């Protein structure tokens, strides 16, 4: 038996820290990207999922 679900494309939790993990990205650019992606998050829910998760269970 298999169940298929999807994962969210992006999570805003900790987004700024993940962007700044690459020290070549400036503070201003990281802040701008964080704001844009956070605001676009609700709109992205209407787009098709880009990640599929398969839950497989052995038959008994």
């Amino acid at each position: 038996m298999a169940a298929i679900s999807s994962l969210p494309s992006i999570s805003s939790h900790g987004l700024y820290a993940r962007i700044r993990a690459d020290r070549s990205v400036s503070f201003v650019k990281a802040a701008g990207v964080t704001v844009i992606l956070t605001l676009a998050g609700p709109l992205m829910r209407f787009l098709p999922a880009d990640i599929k998760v398969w839950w497989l269970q052995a038959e008994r």
Side-chain angles (χ1 to χ4, degrees):
M1 175 183 245
I4 303 172
S5 60
S6 62
L7 295 174
S9 297
I10 193 163
S11 171
S12 60
H13 179 72
L15 180 60
Y16 176 78
R18 293 193 310 268
I19 294 170
R20 284 292 285 168
D22 179 1
R23 290 295 173 191
S24 68
V25 180
S26 71
F27 165 78
V28 174
K29 186 183 280 188
V33 169
T34 301
V35 168
I36 290 169
L37 291 177
T38 300
L39 293 175
L43 299 174
M44 293 175 71
R45 292 183 192 155
F46 295 107
L47 298 174
D50 62 341
I51 302 171
K52 295 271 189 213
V53 178
W54 291 68
W55 298 93
L56 303 175
Q57 181 177 0
E59 293 185 28
R60 294 180 189 202

